[in-house]
Amino acid sequence: MLLNPVISKLAGKRVVLASASPRRQDILTNVGLRFEVVPSWFKETLDKSVFSAPYEYAVETAKQKALEVARRMHMKHLKTPDIVIGADTIVTLEDAILEKPVDKQDAYNMLSRLSGKEHSVFTGVAIVHCKSQEDNQLETDVFDFYEETKVKFADLSEDLLWEYVHSGEPMDKAGGYGIQSLGGMLVERVHGDFLNVVGFPLNHFCKKLAEIYYPPSKQTINRIKHDSIPYVETFENLSDIEQDCCVKSEALNAKTGIQEKCNYAFKNKSSNVTVPDTAALQNGIPERSSDHLQLPANIIQLLDGFKASKTLFAACKLKVFDKLKDKRALKAEDIADEINASLCGTEKLLDACVALGLLEKTHQVYSNTEAANTFLACDSEFSIHEYIIHSNDHMWPLFTHLEFAVKEGTCQKQRVFEKSTHGLIHDTHLCNQDRRKNFMAANHGMMKITAKDVATAFDLSKYASACDLGGCTGALAHDLIQIYPNMKVNVFDLPGVIENVCHFQPEHFDSSRISFTSGNFLEDNLPEADLYILSRVVHDLTDEKLNCLLQKISDACHLDRSALLLGEIVLDEEKREPRALLQSLSMSEGKQRSGSEYRRLLQSYGFTSVLVRKTGNLLDAVLAFKS
C-alpha cells in the first residue's frame, strides 16, 4: 500500500473532520490530508450495556458522530460534505470503559487502577460517503472499523501519580492520560499501533481507503436514505478523541478517475484554500497540486476568533442565558421580546450560540446547555457572568487599541476611557462605587471557579492562620476554611473593597474563621500569619512595588513555619502557551513569569524552597517557604 496515492484519492473533495482534537488533526495533517474541522454535537450517552464488546460501543459512537455532522451540514449549513470521518477512542480495563475523569481525585483513582496492569485502547472509525440527491435527500454509505492497542503501565508510586494529576494533563483525556505527552512516562510498553493510543489509527485508516478505492471492495455497506432529516438532539462535547471526514459517493469509480465538482477544502493547522491549476485538470475538473499556496486553518480560526468572543459577550450582556436558565426552552421570538431586541438579530445571535456549543436547539426551540446553566447564568453558584461583562466592558476596548499599546509599551486605559471618565482614571476599576462593585463581582466569579484548585495544589494543613493580601471578596478564603478545618483566614484589602464584601458572602459562613481587614499592603504593616497569599497580584505590580511587597512578606515569614502562596498564570518554560502571553498584551505595569522565573524571583527574597503546580484551571499555584 502506497500512502501518497491513497491520500491523493481525497484531493478535490470536501473532507470534514468532526473533532476539536489537536492530536487527530496533527496525525491527518502530517500525511497531507486537507480537511475542514466541524466538531460533532452528538451526545456520547449510548447505553454501554447493550454492546457485547467495548469496541462495538466505540464504532457506534464514531458512526453517530459522523452521521450527525453529515446531516447538519447538509440541512443546516447547506454544504453537503463528500466525506465525514468519525472516530471515538476509549480506554478499557477488564472490559470496563474508563471515561474522562471528573476531578483530580477521580483521575488519581483511575490511574491507580491502571498502575502495573495492561489495558486496551480501542478506536472506532466510521468513514461516511455523502451524496445529495435531486430531491435534496441525503444518501450515505458507511464504512467502519476498529483498532486495538495494548498498553502496559509501570508500577507507579503515589507521589508520581499525584505529580501527573497536578499537571492538569489527565483531565480531558479518556483513561486519564495522554501517551504523547507527560503521560508517556507512565507507560512501560505498547503492543500495537502507537498512533491509535494518541487518538487515530492511521495505518488501518489508509488500508481501509485502499480497500475502498483500489477498487471498492464488495463489503457490507450500510445505506441510509433519508426521506426527511430530523434534527438530532445533541450537545457539543469537544472530545479529544472524535473525528470526521467526508467524500462523495460518485467518486468511487477508479476506472474513470475522479469525477466531482471542485470544492474548497480546509485542513486544520495546515488547512488550505487551494487555487485551481489548469495544468492539473482532468476532464475539465481541477485537481489539487501539492505546490499550491495554502491558507492554514489556524489563521482562518484567528480571523474569526474575535467574532466568537464577542458573540459570548453580547449574549451575556443581553442576559440570554438567564432567560433560558432552569431548563427553560423558548422560541426566538419569545427571547427577542424578553431581551427587547429585533427578531432577526436575536435569531442570528441564538444560532451562533448554538454553533459555539453554548445553546441547544430542537425544533426551533432554544435552551441552555449544561455549561451555560452552570457558568453563564447570572445567579448560578459558579457564574462567571460578571467576569465576562468585565472582559467586554474593559478588556475588549483595551485590545482594540493593541497596536498603540505595542508601539508605546503602555496600557491604553487613558486613551480608551478618557472620554467616559473625563480623565479621572487613576484606577478604572475602583474610581467609583459602581465600577468597584463590578470589578469585585468579576473577580469573585473568576476566583470561585479556580479557588479550590489553588487551595489544594499543595497540602496547607500545617498552617493555622493565613492572610490573603488583596483577597477582595474572600472567595479563596471560603474554600480554604472548608478544606482545612483548623485554618483561619484574614482577608486584607483596600477600605473601598472591604466595605462592599458583605454583598458577596454566602448566607451562612463562619465569621469566627474569616475576618476582613482594611489596609494597603504596600504602605501598611501586614497582619501576622503563617501563610501569606497573593492571587492575581504579582503580575500586575511594577518592579519597585513588587520589591517593596515581597520584602515585607519575607521579613514577616518565620523560618520553617511560614510560607507564601501565589495564584497566577504560570508561563511554560518555552513561552509557547498563549493564555498568559495574551494576558500580558494588556500592558499592565508588571509581567507574566514562568516557573523558573518565579523561583529566581522568590529565592532572591530568601525563600529557599519554591514549588510550582500547574492546576489546569484559570490560575496556577506557587508555594515558597524558608527552610
Side-chain angles (χ1 to χ4, degrees):
M1 177 196 66
L2 295 176
L3 179 62
N4 214 26
V6 172
I7 295 299
S8 69
K9 284 295 181 180
L10 306 184
K13 301 179 185 298
R14 182 183 294 277
V15 179
V16 176
L17 173 63
S19 173
S21 165
R23 270 75 64 184
R24 287 216 180 94
Q25 295 164 14
D26 284 346
I27 291 170
L28 291 174
T29 294
N30 289 338
V31 296
L33 183 63
R34 301 181 178 92
F35 54 88
E36 178 180 353
V37 177
V38 181
S40 177
W41 294 356
F42 176 70
K43 281 184 177 178
E44 297 180 41
T45 55
L46 296 176
D47 184 358
K48 300 178 181 65
S49 64
V50 303
F51 298 97
S52 59
Y55 72 83
E56 294 179 357
Y57 169 82
V59 169
E60 184 62 27
T61 301
K63 187 187 305 181
Q64 293 303 323
K65 287 178 180 179
L67 289 172
E68 187 279 322
V69 168
R71 294 164 182 160
R72 176 155 49 97
M73 293 188 70
H74 176 72
M75 293 299 295
K76 185 174 180 180
H77 299 173
L78 302 179
K79 297 188 299 183
T80 303
D82 296 322
I83 298 179
V84 181
I85 306 171
D88 189 64
T89 301
I90 59 173
V91 174
T92 67
L93 180 65
E94 299 168 351
D95 288 336
I97 297 176
L98 303 184
E99 307 284 358
K100 295 178 182 178
V102 296
D103 53 32
K104 288 185 176 181
Q105 186 62 53
D106 188 35
Y108 174 79
N109 294 339
M110 194 176 292
L111 293 167
S112 296
R113 292 178 61 189
L114 296 174
S115 177
K117 298 178 182 177
E118 184 177 75
H119 61 272
S120 291
V121 179
F122 292 97
T123 299
V125 178
I127 303 173
V128 179
H129 298 96
C130 308
K131 184 176 182 180
S132 180
Q133 304 287 58
E134 291 183 1
D135 56 359
N136 202 35
Q137 295 176 3
L138 177 68
E139 183 175 302
T140 60
D141 293 342
V142 181
F143 302 82
D144 58 56
F145 66 89
Y146 74 92
E147 183 73 24
E148 178 183 10
T149 303
K150 297 284 189 180
V151 179
K152 171 68 164 52
F153 266 27
D155 291 316
L156 306 170
S157 68
E158 181 179 351
D159 288 344
L160 178 59
L161 287 180
W162 275 116
E163 184 76 17
Y164 181 57
V165 169
H166 285 313
S167 74
E169 186 176 279
M171 303 314 297
D172 62 343
K173 296 173 177 62
Y177 74 97
I179 195 171
Q180 73 283 355
S181 301
L182 291 176
M185 70 182 179
L186 312 178
V187 175
E188 189 173 278
R189 66 172 180 267
V190 176
H191 181 70
D193 186 347
F194 177 83
L195 291 181
N196 183 54
V197 186
V198 176
F200 195 77
L202 181 62
N203 182 269
H204 200 155
F205 173 71
C206 291
K207 288 179 179 177
K208 181 60 67 173
L209 290 182
E211 290 178 11
I212 296 171
Y213 292 113
Y214 289 105
S217 59
K218 294 182 179 181
Q219 54 182 297
T220 302
I221 299 177
N222 299 321
R223 288 186 173 271
I224 307 172
K225 186 169 184 177
H226 302 272
D227 295 326
S228 63
I229 310 297
Y231 186 86
V232 180
E233 297 186 13
T234 58
F235 169 65
E236 182 166 342
N237 180 0
L238 301 183
S239 167
D240 274 345
I241 52 175
E242 61 182 357
Q243 177 156 239
D244 298 80
C245 187
C246 301
V247 132
K248 278 197 170 184
S249 304
E250 58 195 17
L252 297 179
N253 191 335
K255 293 182 179 179
T256 57
I258 298 176
Q259 304 280 334
E260 76 280 343
K261 295 180 180 179
C262 179
N263 293 309
Y264 285 110
F266 297 89
K267 172 177 77 171
N268 190 25
K269 292 196 174 180
S270 298
S271 176
N272 311 310
V273 177
T274 302
V275 181
D277 182 356
T278 54
L281 292 179
Q282 287 190 1
N283 300 323
I285 304 298
E287 190 172 340
R288 296 183 184 278
S289 173
S290 60
D291 60 353
H292 284 166
L293 185 63
Q294 302 171 345
L295 181 61
N298 63 329
I299 294 181
I300 296 174
Q301 291 164 5
L302 289 172
L303 286 172
D304 289 334
F306 77 96
K307 299 174 187 175
S309 297
K310 192 60 179 178
T311 297
L312 170 63
F313 296 168
C316 283
K317 192 85 171 179
L318 295 169
K319 296 192 174 181
V320 169
F321 306 108
D322 292 274
K323 307 302 180 185
L324 296 173
K325 66 182 179 181
D326 301 326
K327 300 183 178 179
R328 194 180 182 197
L330 295 172
K331 292 184 177 180
E333 50 264 35
D334 299 323
I335 300 172
D337 289 341
E338 294 209 19
I339 66 174
N340 193 28
S342 69
L343 175 58
C344 174
T346 300
E347 193 166 26
K348 290 180 179 179
L349 177 65
L350 296 174
D351 285 339
C353 287
V354 171
L356 293 172
L358 304 175
L359 295 178
E360 294 178 335
K361 181 181 180 182
T362 307
H363 305 304
Q364 307 307 311
V365 175
Y366 298 88
S367 59
N368 278 348
T369 61
E370 183 179 351
N373 277 327
T374 303
F375 301 111
L376 303 181
C378 283
D379 58 358
S380 68
E381 181 181 1
F382 296 102
S383 173
I384 60 169
H385 175 86
E386 294 300 330
Y387 185 69
I388 292 172
I389 298 302
H390 167 75
S391 298
N392 180 74
D393 294 348
H394 296 282
M395 299 305 296
W396 182 274
L398 289 178
F399 273 77
T400 61
H401 291 77
L402 181 58
E403 63 272 26
F404 294 108
V406 171
K407 287 182 178 180
E408 299 168 9
T410 60
C411 183
Q412 296 298 297
K413 287 180 183 178
Q414 184 73 40
R415 185 188 303 274
V416 172
F417 298 111
E418 59 184 0
K419 291 182 180 179
S420 60
T421 59
H422 307 290
L424 301 176
I425 55 165
H426 174 64
D427 188 339
T428 303
H429 305 311
L430 305 180
C431 64
N432 61 40
Q433 189 76 353
D434 289 339
R435 284 200 180 91
R436 183 184 298 117
K437 287 183 179 179
N438 291 340
F439 172 71
M440 291 176 66
N443 185 77
H444 184 73
M446 192 275 287
M447 284 305 300
K448 288 198 72 173
I449 295 299
T450 194
K452 184 167 291 185
D453 282 318
V454 173
T456 58
F458 308 97
D459 181 4
L460 306 176
S461 58
K462 64 181 286 188
Y463 304 109
S465 62
C467 182
D468 192 354
L469 302 172
C472 199
T473 64
L476 176 57
H478 283 288
D479 272 336
L480 284 169
I481 65 169
Q482 290 179 11
I483 297 166
Y484 304 106
N486 298 320
M487 181 183 289
K488 294 183 178 181
V489 184
N490 183 5
V491 178
F492 188 78
D493 213 321
L494 297 171
V497 173
I498 297 301
E499 69 186 23
N500 286 287
V501 296
C502 58
H503 303 296
F504 301 95
Q505 302 313 303
E507 186 175 353
H508 303 289
F509 78 95
D510 190 350
S511 58
S512 67
R513 296 182 58 204
I514 296 182
S515 58
F516 293 88
T517 303
S518 297
N520 186 325
F521 54 59
L522 292 175
E523 300 174 359
D524 302 328
N525 293 329
L526 303 182
E528 290 189 5
D530 298 330
L531 176 68
Y532 289 96
I533 303 170
L534 293 170
S535 293
R536 302 181 72 237
V537 172
V538 173
H539 77 278
D540 210 30
L541 297 179
T542 63
D543 290 343
E544 181 182 0
K545 292 178 180 179
L546 186 57
N547 173 67
C548 171
L549 179 58
L550 291 181
Q551 191 60 60
K552 291 174 70 172
I553 295 174
S554 177
D555 293 342
C557 285
H558 302 287
L559 190 66
D560 289 329
R561 189 161 61 85
S562 303
L564 170 62
L565 176 67
L566 305 183
E568 293 283 353
I569 305 174
V570 177
L571 281 168
D572 63 297
E573 293 302 322
E574 295 183 354
K575 299 188 178 180
R576 298 292 182 87
E577 295 174 3
R579 187 164 177 265
L581 298 173
L582 293 174
Q583 179 71 21
S584 69
L585 290 174
S586 62
M587 301 295 178
S588 65
E589 294 178 324
K591 61 179 288 189
Q592 304 289 342
R593 293 173 172 84
S594 65
S596 61
E597 287 173 326
Y598 273 114
R599 286 191 181 93
R600 289 194 295 270
L601 172 68
L602 296 172
Q603 285 169 357
S604 68
Y605 290 91
F607 293 98
T608 53
S609 297
V610 181
L611 304 176
V612 179
R613 290 282 188 274
K614 300 283 282 186
T615 68
N617 206 323
L618 296 177
L619 295 180
D620 302 310
V622 179
L623 183 67
F625 49 91
K626 299 178 179 180
S627 60

